[in-house]
């Protein structure tokens, strides 16, 4: 007979979103088990600190002020500050096929920064350190879920590849865009191809980035230069180049020198010459959205529930907001003596997050289509609109405040403490 284990919450996936959910529940008496298939996912904060003298992680995230507050509230940000985090005060966006241009400044919002560019390994390591300190959280690596049962007796059962069976009041899928857990739950997805591949890498530039996040809309897709901090001042950027699959294949086949030349041309040499480039990675971009996020004793969060185009860098921020909102929902249910796995309870989380996530998905799709369109009249209107918005400071600042998570109905973890 297989071994059976009973817990309150099983989180499948030890990425940033899954770990943030666990960390947000750490101060409560819920018994939490995190399952992660990869055995190399456990990051030690001291090892990451040592790695700061080495190269950059090609995977970075543009964390908003709301995400910073969530990570502060769960105790991770204090460790991240000891590592390499890169604040940015400005954002420059322009249409490479016209004259449209928008400039954003933290000073206009009376904020110290617009956000931070942070290597994913830094965020993960800090969250691992928080998890290690929690008495009610266990993390298991190198285990796979092979079966997810239907709800019965107020629980779901998860069968693992080592023969064990885990019973939980709530199973949370946080295992990424191709979530096997979500598929086992039978939750269908809307999915469509953006017609873009993204190339990501780190480059060294001739000129300093000036704590500015740069984005140029090219004829094939957006190209972003995201500022990175280093000991030798401000000459490193993480790039995300979204372009057609054929163009991406051509770019990936170039040697480093020729790739740097193409990158300089595409970026209009805003930061001078590209002096060096790290190893490049390429992957297709798809938009996905779950037709529902929850069922009885089950919820999907982060990329397991939705993925969007990286042109605004909002993917991980939406996931962290999912985690923070689910923390609110579960703790509210506990205070009301409700079952945390009740579908009616979990639908509160879905109502709070699904509309906002769909709106962001629609906005990204709209931006992509707007800049993909090559009709002269639409291009003219697009450029006039960008320049007009740049001059309308109140509207422009309101938009960026929403994106930064400085306004709106925020989960508790994302709210800044009230100053006395």
């Amino acid at each position: 007979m297989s071994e059976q284990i009973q817990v309150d919450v099983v989180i499948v996936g030890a990425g940033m979103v899954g770990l943030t959910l666990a960390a947000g529940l750490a101060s409560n008496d819920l018994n939490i088990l995190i399952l992660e298939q990869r055995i190399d996912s456990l990051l030690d904060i001291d090892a990451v600190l040592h790695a700061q003298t080495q190269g950059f992680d090609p995977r970075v995230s543009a964390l908003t002020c709301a995400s910073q507050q969530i990570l502060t509230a769960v105790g991770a940000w204090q460790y991240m500050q000891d590592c390499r985090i890169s604040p940015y005060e400005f954002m420059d966006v322009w249409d490479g096929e016209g004259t449209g241009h928008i400039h954003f400044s933290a000073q206009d919002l009376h904020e110290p920064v617009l956000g931070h560019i942070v290597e994913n390994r830094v965020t993960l390591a800090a969250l691992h350190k928080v998890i290690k300190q929690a008495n009610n959280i266990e993390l298991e690596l190198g285990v796979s879920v092979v079966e997810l049962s239907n709800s019965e007796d107020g629980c779901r059962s998860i069968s693992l590849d080592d023969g064990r069976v885990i019973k939980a009041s709530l199973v949370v899928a946080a295992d990424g865009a191709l979530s096997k857990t979500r598929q086992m739950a039978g939750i269908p997805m809307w999915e469509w191809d953006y017609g873009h591949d993204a190339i990501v890498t780190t480059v060294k530039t001739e000129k300093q980035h000036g704590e500015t996040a740069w984005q140029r809309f090219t004829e094939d897709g957006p190209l972003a230069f995201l500022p990175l901090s280093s000991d030798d001042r401000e000459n490193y950027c993480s790039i995300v180049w979204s372009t057609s699959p054929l163009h991406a294949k051509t770019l990936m086949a170039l040697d480093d020198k020729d790739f740097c030349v193409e990158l300089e041309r595409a970026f209009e040499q805003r930061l001078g010459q590209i002096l060096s480039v790290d190893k490049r990675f390429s992957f297709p971009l798809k938009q996905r959205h779950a037709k529902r996020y929850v069922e009885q004793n089950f919820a999907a969060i982060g990329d397991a529930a939705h993925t969007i185009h990286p042109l605004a860098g909002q993917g991980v921020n939406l996931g962290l907001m999912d985690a923070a909102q689910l923390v609110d929902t579960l703790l509210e249910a506990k205070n009301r003596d409700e079952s945390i796995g009740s579908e009616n309870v979990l639908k509160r989380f879905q109502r709070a997050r699904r509309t906002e996530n769909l709106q962001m998905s629609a906005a990204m799709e709209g931006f992509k289509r707007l800049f993909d369109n090559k009709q002269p009249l639409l291009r003219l209107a697009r450029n006039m609109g960008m320049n007009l918005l740049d001059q309308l400071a109140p509207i422009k600042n309101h938009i960026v405040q929403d994106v930064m998570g400085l306004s709106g109905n925020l989960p508790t973890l994302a709210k800044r403490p009230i100053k006395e």
Side-chain angles (χ1 to χ4, degrees):
M1 186 174 179
S2 58
E3 178 188 0
Q4 285 203 358
I5 302 170
Q6 180 83 42
V7 297
D8 294 312
V9 181
V10 168
I11 301 170
V12 184
M16 290 184 282
V17 174
L19 292 179
T20 297
L21 173 62
L25 296 170
S27 61
N28 294 274
D29 59 0
L30 291 171
N31 189 10
I32 301 164
L33 175 63
I34 308 170
L35 302 174
E36 172 56 56
Q37 184 175 3
R38 297 170 303 159
I39 60 175
D40 63 344
S41 67
L42 184 59
L43 291 171
D44 181 85
I45 193 72
D46 296 323
V48 172
L49 277 169
H50 178 70
Q52 303 305 294
T53 60
Q54 303 169 12
F56 291 92
D57 185 347
R59 301 171 305 159
V60 304
S61 298
L63 298 178
T64 62
C65 294
S67 291
Q68 177 185 348
Q69 181 54 43
I70 291 169
L71 292 165
T72 299
V74 301
W77 191 260
Q78 65 188 71
Y79 302 123
M80 295 166 66
Q81 288 180 304
D82 293 334
C83 296
R84 192 164 51 196
I85 61 174
S86 307
Y88 60 98
E89 297 182 37
F90 311 101
M91 185 181 299
D92 242 37
V93 182
W94 74 100
D95 187 345
E97 304 303 306
T99 59
H101 173 262
I102 300 180
H103 178 77
F104 300 97
S105 169
Q107 294 176 355
D108 294 341
L109 302 172
H110 307 289
E111 293 289 331
V113 298
L114 293 176
H116 291 81
I117 307 300
V118 185
E119 296 163 77
N120 287 4
R121 67 184 175 197
V122 169
T123 307
L124 284 167
L127 286 166
H128 274 298
K129 186 152 187 171
V130 172
I131 295 301
K132 281 183 182 179
Q133 297 167 355
N135 296 324
N136 62 326
I137 302 174
E138 184 178 351
L139 171 62
E140 291 201 28
L141 304 177
V143 292
S144 298
V145 177
V146 295
E147 187 178 357
L148 177 67
S149 77
N150 292 324
S151 299
E152 56 181 39
D153 300 327
C155 290
R156 287 257 187 172
S157 293
I158 284 183
S159 299
L160 304 182
D161 57 354
D162 60 9
R164 288 178 297 161
V165 176
I166 314 293
K167 294 192 73 174
S169 300
L170 175 63
V171 174
V172 180
D175 48 344
L178 303 178
S179 170
K180 291 183 179 179
T181 316
R182 183 201 63 234
Q183 294 173 33
M184 290 176 186
I187 293 181
M189 300 286 286
W190 287 297
E191 179 177 322
W192 58 95
D193 197 318
Y194 278 119
H196 277 169
D197 282 7
I199 296 174
V200 297
T201 188
T202 303
V203 298
K204 186 174 184 180
T205 58
E206 179 185 4
K207 298 179 182 178
Q208 295 181 19
H209 54 61
E211 294 192 339
T212 302
W214 311 78
Q215 182 153 271
R216 177 183 186 252
F217 284 93
T218 76
E219 60 183 1
D220 290 321
L223 167 60
F225 272 58
L226 306 175
L228 295 173
S229 297
S230 63
D231 292 336
D232 52 347
R233 304 176 73 181
E234 305 172 343
N235 290 77
Y236 287 93
C237 288
S238 175
I239 72 154
V240 183
W241 193 349
S242 303
T243 186
S244 67
L246 181 60
H247 189 214
K249 186 176 180 181
T250 301
L251 291 171
M252 290 295 290
L254 297 175
D255 62 25
D256 287 355
K257 181 179 178 181
D258 289 340
F259 177 80
C260 288
V261 171
E262 287 298 309
L263 185 58
E264 284 175 22
R265 183 194 62 78
F267 197 57
E268 299 178 353
Q269 290 192 317
R270 287 290 175 104
L271 297 178
Q273 286 186 302
I274 308 298
L275 302 178
S276 65
V277 59
D278 287 355
K279 183 178 179 180
R280 288 162 266 161
F281 299 86
S282 178
F283 51 90
L285 297 178
K286 296 179 183 293
Q287 180 160 314
R288 302 178 178 89
H289 213 109
K291 294 187 178 180
R292 58 185 182 277
Y293 292 1
V294 304
E295 290 185 342
Q296 186 74 18
N297 306 110
F298 181 87
I301 62 175
D303 283 357
H306 46 80
T307 61
I308 62 173
H309 199 288
L311 68 88
Q314 287 301 300
V316 72
N317 295 302
L318 295 179
L320 294 179
M321 291 286 274
D322 286 353
Q325 185 63 56
L326 188 53
V327 169
D328 273 1
T329 301
L330 298 182
L331 297 186
E332 180 185 19
K334 274 178 56 61
N335 290 336
R336 293 179 175 181
D337 290 325
E338 298 173 311
S339 168
I340 62 171
S342 163
E343 187 171 5
N344 287 333
V345 166
L346 296 173
K347 279 183 176 178
R348 296 175 201 155
F349 156 73
Q350 178 173 274
R351 284 193 295 271
R353 290 300 306 150
R354 194 162 180 270
T355 299
E356 183 171 339
N357 290 334
L358 281 169
Q359 287 175 343
M360 183 62 74
S361 295
M364 295 306 98
E365 178 70 13
F367 271 117
K368 180 188 175 295
R369 293 191 179 193
L370 177 64
F371 284 92
D372 274 353
N373 198 304
K374 295 178 174 54
Q375 293 183 7
L377 286 178
L378 184 59
R379 181 180 294 174
L380 176 63
R382 182 178 73 205
N383 282 273
M384 290 176 63
M386 289 179 72
N387 291 328
L388 178 61
L389 180 60
D390 191 47
Q391 296 171 29
L392 298 174
I395 298 176
K396 180 176 71 170
N397 291 340
H398 178 73
I399 291 172
V400 76
Q401 280 181 318
D402 279 348
V403 172
M404 291 167 65
L406 296 174
S407 60
N409 189 19
L410 300 174
T412 302
L413 292 176
K415 293 178 181 176
R416 291 176 170 177
I418 298 175
K419 296 181 180 179
E420 296 183 359

